[in-house]
Amino acid sequence: MKRTAPVAVVAMVTLLATAACTQTKSGSGDGGTSTGPVKIGLVTKTDTNPYFVKLRESAKAHAAQSGAEVIAVAGKFDGDNEGQVAAIENLVQQGVKGILITPSNSTGILGALKQAKEKGVLVIALDTETDPKDAVDATYATNNTTAGELEGKYIKATLGSTAPRLLMMDGTPGGTVDEQRHKGFLQGMGLKDGDPAIIGAAPTNGDQNKAQAAMENLLQRDATVNAVYTLNEPAARGAVAALTAKGLAGKVAVGSIDGGCQGVADVKAGKYLATVMQFPKKMAEQGVDAVVAFAKDGKKPTGFQDTGAQLITDKPLPGLDSKDTTWGAQNCWG
């Protein structure tokens, strides 16, 4: 005769089985998709540049509001591809659900990104596109060519009919953002590489001290400069320090890109004429939201999402849309 277990025993067995199943699903390596927080990896170019510091702080704060956790790592310097590759591999091992990355080089990390995607990790580029663009699921970034073009148009308009004598404080050779901003600036100026109006150029890696040293060296060769392109605001501060030491402060049209609160204050103080504001807080928050949504329903974002660029100056010029430093101070790195 077949025996039937008491109802209470059946209920207990069912409860234990359900608990065991739940425990397995929420264990390590699942990106925190069940009982634990959604784990999100963030890989920036460096952990010292104020821009990336803001991006990291914004990502962590927004993730906390969403019940998620950001594990932030960075390269040792701008251009440290090996460091970023190691960071990606480590984050995958930690079981993150998604990785947000600002690639130091558009091609140097493609293999690591491919492996992460093959393991079911959502990969989103912030600030910097990859090449090819579909190496990541989506990109949330400034259109850096446009940002450079805004800087170039402003400097050209400032010079008016005066022929430019241009020095260029570039970034890291081969860097995607660096090349896009350089190209955009020259488009805004109506120039091309090799034009005699460019009297000098040097890589700065976006670093203030390197930019100051580079500008000092260039000024020793030719001090007839009347316009300066800078990749970012640390480079602008370094360039202005060298110009000041040479007695050229206020005599040279200097522009920049970033829109950090310190950069806006520099523009207000007259250290340089204008900067183009980016919105890393928006990039970080949208990236976090995308990973959290992916963890819930598996839906992946796609394509390039332009997070905007805004010219900031207290000396507006006709035909160029700009905001003053009061607006800039209220919105810096929003």
Side-chain angles (χ1 to χ4, degrees):
M1 179 178 176
K2 186 175 180 181
R3 299 180 62 183
T4 303
V7 173
V9 173
V10 174
M12 181 60 72
V13 171
T14 302
L15 179 62
L16 290 174
T18 302
C21 181
T22 301
Q23 185 176 6
T24 300
K25 287 183 180 179
S26 61
S28 62
D30 70 347
T33 58
S34 186
T35 58
V38 175
K39 290 189 286 187
I40 304 170
L42 174 64
V43 185
T44 53
K45 295 179 183 179
T46 73
D47 58 8
T48 56
N49 184 308
Y51 180 86
F52 298 118
V53 170
K54 179 63 177 181
L55 192 148
R56 182 175 67 242
E57 291 174 347
S58 299
K60 285 189 172 184
H62 194 64
Q65 294 176 2
S66 304
E69 173 191 359
V70 167
I71 304 170
V73 288
K76 295 180 181 179
F77 53 87
D78 194 336
D80 181 15
N81 293 315
E82 292 183 1
Q84 288 201 321
V85 167
I88 294 166
E89 293 171 347
N90 181 266
L91 288 169
V92 172
Q93 290 176 357
Q94 292 189 59
V96 297
K97 194 67 176 177
I99 292 176
L100 310 176
I101 182 164
T102 62
S104 283
N105 183 283
S106 62
T107 60
I109 57 171
L110 296 184
L113 294 180
K114 183 174 183 291
Q115 291 176 3
K117 291 174 68 177
E118 288 174 346
K119 293 186 177 181
V121 177
L122 178 69
V123 180
I124 294 175
L126 302 181
D127 179 71
T128 306
E129 291 180 288
T130 54
D131 184 14
K133 296 178 182 180
D134 62 2
V136 293
D137 294 296
T139 300
Y140 295 86
T142 307
N143 185 321
N144 283 288
T145 302
T146 298
E149 188 173 11
L150 288 173
E151 182 186 351
K153 285 182 175 179
Y154 185 83
I155 296 301
K156 180 180 181 179
T158 297
L159 293 176
S161 60
T162 302
R165 301 283 294 170
L166 175 65
L167 290 177
M168 302 192 71
M169 297 287 95
D170 285 315
T172 302
T176 306
V177 169
D178 313 79
E179 293 181 350
Q180 288 174 341
R181 292 183 183 180
H182 176 103
K183 175 184 176 182
F185 179 85
L186 290 181
Q187 287 176 351
M189 288 286 293
L191 301 174
K192 294 182 179 180
D193 281 312
D195 193 294
I198 305 171
I199 61 174
T204 69
N205 297 104
D207 179 83
Q208 180 172 338
N209 293 330
K210 290 181 180 179
Q212 182 171 347
M215 179 60 76
E216 288 170 351
N217 290 334
L218 290 172
L219 290 175
Q220 287 178 357
R221 302 176 199 169
D222 191 335
T224 64
V225 58
N226 62 8
V228 173
Y229 157 78
T230 66
L231 167 84
N232 64 5
E233 289 166 356
R237 286 190 280 276
V240 168
L243 290 168
T244 300
K246 197 74 172 179
L248 295 173
K251 301 177 182 178
V252 178
V254 181
S256 196
I257 302 172
D258 267 350
C261 297
Q262 181 59 55
V264 173
D266 289 342
V267 172
K268 184 175 183 178
K271 294 183 179 180
Y272 38 98
L273 293 175
T275 189
V276 178
M277 182 176 287
Q278 301 183 90
F279 300 93
K281 182 173 182 285
K282 184 185 296 186
M283 298 175 199
E285 291 181 350
Q286 291 182 358
V288 166
D289 287 343
V291 177
V292 171
F294 173 68
K296 291 180 179 179
D297 58 24
K299 185 177 180 180
K300 294 183 178 182
T302 59
F304 181 88
Q305 309 294 324
D306 188 349
T307 52
Q310 177 62 58
L311 180 66
I312 305 294
T313 182
D314 284 333
K315 296 181 179 180
L317 294 172
L320 294 175
D321 175 52
S322 66
K323 302 288 188 182
D324 63 19
T325 56
T326 299
W327 187 95
Q330 294 170 347
N331 293 275
C332 51
W333 281 351

